[in-house]
């Protein structure tokens, strides 16, 4: 799609007004989130990776638990991958956890376990791209590098009248960036998109940059998301004495390789024997999940796992949900 020229540009006075108004608003309104309490690059990195494609409320549940398990980058590097995936369970997009594990190992190997604080060495690490490197370096070292994520893109699109994309988005964000407080400024831009300039209904009446915005909520709404798909799935829950029957997804599976789950069974095998029904969503698919107590279909390849060990396995998010419902974990 052609990148339409933005409707307006800021002069120097407007740029200064933007920085001052946004930072003052952020100082008064920023959410008290645990990763904002210090400038430890390891903690900031964990939060940034978790927040990619996951809501703040879901990340809050996992952030402290993950840090208790892996309090330093050295501990993370030394862990088995299955332990890292188990600690990540419930956050989805497991590739992020694998890349974090690889990056932790690289930090130990290349940087002696000292987490880099500036953009150049950060960019050389697995899973750390332009956005994540700029976010970490600006927050922990006040390196003047702007960030563009989905929230910033939406704010800039509305403020300048749509059409910004690719490099022009980054250039615009760089031009606005506060040189004295770049870390706070970047967080303020993202916070504005997260709690005021909302995707569907921007709260323009409380917006600190209302006077500088070209569209003030009158920009065409984004096209409706493609409808969610629906799918029915059935699982067998077989537990005897102190063990439960689980299967491990193949290492070459495109989705969640190596993760553990309950054995899936055909829908007709569950008819009349369903003991639990729940809903679960993964990206664009809503699942209606039925769980039948009893053995899996004969020939299912799986393992009997002692219940006390189940919680430490890298379970899929859905398996964890079911096993919590039935109080196995
Ligand atoms: Fe977004 Fe409205 Fe603020 Fe413009 S005035 S940046 S549309 S919340």
């Amino acid at each position: 799609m052609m990148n339409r020229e933005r409707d307006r540009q800021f002069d120097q006075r407007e740029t200064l007004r933007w920085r001052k108004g946004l930072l003052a608003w952020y100082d008064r309104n920023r959410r008290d989130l645990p990763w904002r309490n210090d400038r430890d690059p390891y903690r900031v990195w964990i939060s940034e990776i978790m927040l990619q494609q996951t809501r703040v409320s879901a990340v809050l549940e996992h952030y402290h638990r993950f840090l208790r398990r892996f309090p330093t980058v050295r501990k993370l590097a030394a862990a088995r991958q299955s332990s890292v995936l188990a600690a990540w369970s419930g956050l989805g997009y497991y590739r992020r956890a694998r890349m974090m594990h690889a990056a932790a190992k690289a930090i130990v190997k290349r940087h002696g376990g000292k987490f880099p604080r500036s953009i150049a060495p950060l960019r050389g690490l697995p899973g750390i791209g332009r956005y994540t490197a700029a976010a970490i370096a600006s927050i922990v070292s006040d390196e003047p590098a702007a960030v563009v994520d989905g929230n910033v893109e939406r704010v800039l699109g509305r403020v300048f009248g749509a059409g910004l994309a690719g490099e022009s988005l980054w250039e615009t964000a760089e031009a606005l960036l506060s040189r004295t407080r770049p870390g706070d400024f970047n967080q303020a831009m993202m916070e504005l998109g997260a709690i005021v300039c909302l995707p569907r209904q921007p709260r323009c009446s409380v917006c600190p940059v209302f006077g500088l915005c070209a569209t003030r909520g009158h920009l065409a709404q984004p096209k409706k998301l493609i409808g969610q798909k629906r799918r029915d799935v059935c699982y067998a829950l077989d537990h005897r004495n102190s063990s439960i029957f689980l299967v491990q997804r193949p290492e070459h599976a495109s989705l969640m390789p190596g993760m553990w789950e309950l054995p899936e069974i055909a829908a007709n095998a569950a008819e009349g024997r369903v003991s639990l029904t729940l809903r679960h969503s993964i990206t664009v698919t809503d699942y209606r999940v039925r769980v039948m107590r009893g053995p899996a279909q004969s020939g299912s390849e799986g393992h009997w796992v002692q219940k006390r060990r189940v919680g430490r396995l890298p379970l899929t998010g859905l398996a964890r949900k079911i096993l919590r419902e039935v109080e196995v974990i």
Side-chain angles (χ1 to χ4, degrees):
M1 194 177 77
M2 284 278 289
N3 181 18
R4 182 162 69 83
E5 281 296 303
R6 64 191 186 201
D7 293 350
R8 61 185 302 243
Q9 297 197 346
F10 283 175
D11 61 24
Q12 200 184 3
R13 270 185 57 190
E14 288 171 317
T15 302
L16 291 175
R17 262 178 68 202
W18 175 277
R19 291 174 186 162
K20 204 171 154 197
L22 186 65
L23 283 167
W25 168 83
Y26 180 66
D27 289 340
R28 285 194 307 273
N29 295 283
R30 67 187 202 167
R31 289 170 295 176
D32 184 19
L33 300 173
W35 45 88
R36 288 186 174 154
N37 294 337
D38 59 45
R39 291 181 160 206
D40 176 345
Y42 176 63
R43 288 166 174 256
V44 171
W45 173 57
I46 303 281
S47 69
E48 287 295 338
I49 301 293
M50 285 186 173
L51 286 166
Q52 289 167 14
Q53 294 154 317
T54 308
R55 293 185 322 275
V56 166
S57 55
V59 168
L60 284 170
E61 284 174 41
H62 291 85
Y63 177 76
H64 292 296
R65 204 174 63 208
F66 193 89
L67 280 172
R68 271 196 302 278
R69 188 98 171 73
F70 309 112
T72 64
V73 71
R74 282 184 184 279
K75 291 255 192 251
L76 180 59
R80 286 202 308 260
Q81 188 175 80
S82 59
S83 304
V84 178
L85 294 176
W88 196 263
S89 181
L91 282 164
Y93 299 98
Y94 289 89
R95 185 171 178 275
R96 293 179 297 173
R98 290 192 176 86
M99 296 299 264
M100 281 179 72
H101 194 209
K105 288 180 182 202
I107 289 168
V108 169
K109 197 169 169 194
R110 290 184 217 157
H111 304 285
K114 198 163 182 309
F115 207 104
R117 305 178 74 96
S118 57
I119 288 182
L122 285 166
R123 281 302 296 271
L125 294 168
I128 298 194
R130 185 176 185 177
Y131 164 82
T132 308
I136 296 170
S138 64
I139 291 169
V140 306
S141 307
D142 268 334
E143 194 165 328
V147 295
V148 175
D149 69 349
N151 282 324
V152 174
E153 182 174 350
R154 184 172 60 258
V155 169
L156 294 179
R158 285 171 173 166
V159 168
F160 290 103
L164 290 175
E167 199 50 41
S168 60
L169 260 172
W170 286 88
E171 285 168 10
T172 305
E174 292 286 352
L176 291 177
L177 182 71
S178 161
R179 268 43 190 176
T180 52
R181 296 175 59 193
D184 285 343
F185 182 89
N186 280 337
Q187 293 186 85
M189 290 283 280
M190 294 188 276
E191 192 82 336
L192 186 71
I195 64 178
V196 174
C197 195
L198 303 172
R200 302 219 166 271
Q201 286 198 310
R203 301 168 58 219
C204 302
S205 61
V206 296
C207 179
V209 291
F210 180 85
L212 291 161
C213 180
T215 65
R216 299 177 183 179
H218 296 299
L219 192 64
Q221 293 294 312
K223 279 187 196 146
K224 271 198 147 183
L225 293 173
I226 302 161
Q228 291 284 104
K229 285 184 260 172
R230 290 179 194 281
R231 223 196 115 198
D232 283 352
V233 280
C234 300
Y235 292 97
L237 175 70
D238 194 3
H239 55 120
R240 298 175 195 169
N241 305 321
S242 56
S243 295
I244 186 156
F245 191 75
L246 296 174
V247 294
Q248 187 174 21
R249 297 175 73 88
E251 285 300 336
H252 55 77
S254 56
L255 264 180
M256 299 176 278
M259 308 287 288
W260 292 79
E261 60 187 352
L262 297 173
E264 192 172 343
I265 55 173
N268 57 7
E271 283 314 330
R273 295 194 289 155
V274 172
S275 58
L276 172 70
T277 303
L278 49 86
R279 306 236 168 229
H280 188 70
S281 295
I282 301 178
T283 59
V284 294
T285 309
D286 289 332
Y287 291 91
R288 185 176 67 130
V289 182
R290 292 182 293 161
V291 181
M292 178 207 74
R293 283 187 196 268
Q297 277 142 330
S298 58
S300 291
E301 284 187 17
H303 301 268
W304 287 99
V305 181
Q306 288 189 329
K307 285 184 195 169
R308 62 185 169 79
R309 286 192 53 232
V310 170
R312 296 204 294 272
L313 287 178
L315 297 165
T316 64
L318 176 54
R320 192 166 287 276
K321 198 170 183 177
I322 295 169
L323 293 171
R324 277 202 183 122
E325 279 288 327
V326 297
E327 298 181 351
V328 167
I329 55 174

